[in-house]
Amino acid sequence: GASLFSSNIGSEHLIGLAGSGAASGVAIASYEMNAIFILMLLGWVFVPVYLSSGIYTMPEYLKMRFGGTRIQMLLSILSLLLYIFTKISIDLYSGAIYIKYALGLKGEEGLYLSIIILLVIATIFTIGGGLTAVIWTDFIQTILMVAGAFTVMAFAMTEIGGYEMLMDKYSKAEADRDYSAYHEVDGVNVSCKPIQDNFLHMLRPVDAPNNDLPWTGLFTGMLIGSIWYWCADQVIVQRTLSAKNLSHAKGGVLLAGCLKFLPLF
């Protein structure tokens, strides 16, 4: 369960998800809440099929289901390309930004050095220990991320003066002019994406300003994408397939679902 959580949550969430929440409110957490229900679908619908078929990878399952090797090779290549260009690259960049500032490195050289450090460390424990090492590393990372996030939250709430002050200051906040777009209204520069009055609402109206996460998207694009990611993506499914039996797999999925409540806070 901790490995499922850590495989999903990373530097792109600690930096990007927090930034999106600061920009538009708690509605962005609907991605995390949506995942809780899809994880139950994984544990009670998809995993029993995968385990009963005796497969170890998703391309292997497609080969068994449809026959031939072309679809198996297609999914393998497509999955590699998607992960390189949509996830690994983002993880490396956001993680390198943190390492760069934490170590006080300067310029692009510091950024590239941070990326190399991440790649070397990941390569050593992955090749040296295989999936077992990866899962144990995920377990340790989950403890560190949760403990670190709660520590940062405590310091932030203390610094801002508590929950009531947070709500008051956030409702009046404006985006930094150096990093956001403004337009002119009656001779006054106004942010193109001001803080909405419903920033504490998880479900936004269909006509939400700037198409900012309308509730209909939860049951269309987000739902389809979530089913693919949580129930058919090799990196996620592989964790459940490594379980001793179906009961262990379901228990891990339940734990991951409980942990997915935390990013909201």
Side-chain angles (χ1 to χ4, degrees):
S3 182
L4 280 171
F5 179 76
S6 184
S7 297
N8 170 238
I9 299 294
S11 53
E12 79 278 14
H13 286 77
L14 296 175
I15 296 175
L17 188 66
S20 297
S24 63
V26 301
I28 191 66
S30 57
Y31 282 92
E32 309 306 311
M33 301 299 103
N34 174 266
I36 296 171
F37 300 99
I38 305 301
L39 276 166
M40 301 306 106
L41 192 66
L42 169 65
W44 272 262
V45 177
F46 285 83
V47 169
V49 175
Y50 295 150
L51 290 178
S52 63
S53 63
I55 55 96
Y56 295 97
T57 66
M58 292 309 300
E60 183 183 1
Y61 176 76
L62 288 183
K63 178 183 178 181
M64 179 181 293
R65 176 65 177 80
F66 298 105
T69 58
R70 285 182 297 179
I71 191 169
Q72 180 184 18
M73 290 299 298
L74 175 63
L75 181 60
S76 299
I77 295 172
L78 184 61
S79 297
L80 284 173
L81 291 176
L82 284 173
Y83 256 84
I84 290 172
F85 291 107
T86 66
K87 187 162 179 66
I88 294 177
S89 56
I90 298 173
D91 284 342
L92 286 174
Y93 179 70
S94 54
I97 290 177
Y98 174 79
I99 292 177
K100 174 184 173 181
Y101 287 107
L103 298 181
L105 303 175
K106 304 295 183 181
E108 290 189 0
E109 293 79 6
L111 183 66
Y112 289 127
L113 178 60
S114 301
I115 291 174
I116 292 172
I117 292 172
L118 285 173
L119 288 172
V120 170
I121 294 174
T123 300
I124 290 174
F125 74 73
T126 302
I127 295 178
L131 182 60
T132 301
V134 171
I135 290 178
W136 276 107
T137 303
D138 286 343
F139 171 71
I140 297 171
Q141 286 176 344
T142 297
I143 296 175
L144 293 176
M145 283 193 296
V146 172
F150 271 111
T151 302
V152 171
M153 182 183 71
F155 277 115
M157 294 297 284
T158 302
E159 179 69 22
I160 203 169
Y163 180 79
E164 295 298 331
M165 288 298 294
L166 172 65
M167 294 296 100
D168 180 63
K169 290 183 178 181
Y170 180 77
S171 63
K172 301 174 183 177
E174 288 191 9
D176 192 321
R177 294 179 180 273
D178 293 333
Y179 299 99
S180 59
Y182 279 72
H183 67 285
E184 189 173 297
V185 177
D186 296 329
V188 179
N189 282 335
V190 179
S191 174
C192 291
K193 197 172 183 181
I195 301 300
Q196 300 181 37
D197 294 333
N198 60 354
F199 63 86
L200 282 179
H201 292 190
M202 189 74 72
L203 299 178
R204 297 283 172 81
V206 176
D207 58 348
N210 302 310
N211 294 318
D212 192 9
L213 299 170
W215 69 267
T216 50
L218 292 174
F219 306 103
T220 52
M222 186 187 294
L223 179 63
I224 296 170
S226 294
I227 291 175
W228 166 78
Y229 179 81
W230 289 106
C231 302
D233 181 67
Q234 173 63 25
V235 173
I236 299 298
V237 173
Q238 190 177 42
R239 268 65 178 172
T240 58
L241 294 180
S242 66
K244 294 181 179 179
N245 51 50
L246 183 58
S247 295
H248 281 76
K250 289 181 177 179
V253 165
L254 284 172
L255 175 58
C258 293
L259 291 172
K260 287 295 283 183
F261 278 105
L262 299 180
L264 173 61
F265 306 99

